[in-house]
Each structure stands twice: as structure tokens, then as C-alpha cells.
Amino acid sequence: MTLSRKLMIDGEQIVATTRTHIKVLFIPFVILLALSGIGGFLINQVGDSGSGVPRWIVVAVMLVLILLGSVIPFIKWLTWTYTLTNKRIVEQKGILTRTGRVIPLNRINDVAFEKNLNDRILGCGTLIIHDASEQSGLELNDIPHIEAFHRTVTNLVFEKHDKTASDESV
């Protein structure tokens, strides 16, 4: 899911689109495996007693728990995107209610990244962007290939600042 064409400004081009690293789905995957195993065990233990009603109750409870523990976190991960264009960086998230934050590249003052040991092993990290507004910086958590993304953002910010400085000097 990338930035919709109708949300883009004239002359704007998408440079990169990413979402958080797939490591955030590890716990939902473990929950899915555990609930599947537990559900299968309970269905086997209940058997066909009571015309199958207890079995359907176990199935319904397991489906609700799988939905809450695995499916919803996956959909949240799938719909949370970060899009870098040649004019701005856009964060979009939400399943039913979409929210987002936009930072124009010419307003960015600082671009930094953090990587702990776990992130270094998996090749991801957190990108921290500070802009000229009063809001706190935008943190893009668990971005895959963080160094390349950081380099791309930094290069685009430098290009924007160089163009702004040359326009003001004329």
C-alpha cells in the first residue's frame, strides 16, 4: 500500500515506500501457532459430545483469539506505511480510520537513526526526523535497511536545502 496518486502534489514522485520490519509479526505468529495447537487439542478432548456444540464453542473462541492476537496485528502492520517522495515524507496508518503525518523535506532540520543489537542483527532501526515545527520529532520505528533509507532521506534534504539557499540568494 503506497501513497495514493490523488494525495500527491504536482511534480511529486515516490522515491521509497516502506513499512516496519517484519520482526514485529514474530509474536503474532507465535500466538497463531500456540492458539492453533491449543485449539486442536481442545477440539480433540471435547470430541462429539453434546451434538457437537462444545466443539463449535471451542472453534468460535479460538477464531476470536486468533483474530485479536494475529490477524489484526498483521493488518495493522500491512496498513502502516512510510512513503518518501522528492518533496516530503508521509506516515500513514490505520485500519478503519486512516491517520497520517506529513513533513516537507525543506522543513527537516535533523535526520538521525538508532540501532540496538537486535536491530543490527536484523538490519533495521529507528529513523528520527526533527523538523521546524513545535511537534516532537517523527520516529519511524523498525525500518528495514535503515542505513540506505537514512542516506536517501539525508540526500533529499540536502538537495532541498541547497535549492532553497540558491533561490534565496538570487
Side-chain angles (χ1 to χ4, degrees):
M1 192 177 279
T2 185
L3 186 63
S4 173
R5 196 76 198 134
K6 66 183 178 183
L7 297 176
M8 294 179 68
I9 303 168
D10 291 336
E12 187 173 30
Q13 297 172 358
I14 294 175
V15 175
T17 298
T18 189
R19 56 178 45 93
T20 58
H21 194 270
I22 200 154
K23 77 176 186 177
V24 299
L25 295 177
F26 179 72
I27 298 297
F29 180 72
V30 170
I31 289 171
L32 175 66
L33 289 179
L35 288 175
S36 298
I38 291 168
F41 175 76
L42 290 176
I43 287 171
N44 186 33
Q45 291 299 315
V46 170
D48 286 331
S49 63
S51 71
V53 172
R55 179 179 279 182
W56 285 109
I57 291 173
V58 170
V59 168
V61 168
M62 288 298 133
L63 285 176
V64 167
L65 292 175
I66 287 172
L67 179 73
L68 294 174
S70 295
V71 175
I72 290 177
F74 174 74
I75 294 173
K76 282 183 180 179
W77 172 81
L78 194 62
T79 59
W80 195 331
T81 60
Y82 303 108
T83 304
L84 176 64
T85 70
N86 59 341
K87 295 186 179 201
R88 58 192 175 145
I89 187 159
V90 181
E91 173 191 35
Q92 291 181 318
K93 59 184 172 180
I95 298 173
L96 298 176
T97 304
R98 299 283 292 165
T99 59
R101 182 163 176 200
V102 176
I103 298 179
L105 293 178
N106 59 2
R107 305 259 310 166
I108 294 176
N109 295 336
D110 181 41
V111 181
F113 70 93
E114 293 178 356
K115 290 172 58 171
N116 60 29
L117 181 60
N118 182 26
D119 291 338
R120 293 179 76 183
I121 292 169
L122 296 173
C124 61
T126 301
L127 189 70
I128 304 158
I129 298 174
H130 293 282
D131 63 343
S133 70
E134 302 221 356
Q135 291 181 333
S136 62
L138 177 63
E139 286 193 16
L140 286 65
N141 294 314
D142 296 326
I143 300 294
H145 312 292
I146 188 67
E147 290 96 354
F149 198 78
H150 175 260
R151 208 172 23 254
T152 305
V153 172
T154 304
N155 287 336
L156 287 171
V157 168
F158 285 153
E159 286 176 15
K160 282 293 179 190
H161 286 291
D162 288 344
K163 285 181 185 177
T164 305
S166 66
D167 290 345
E168 289 175 358
S169 66
V170 174

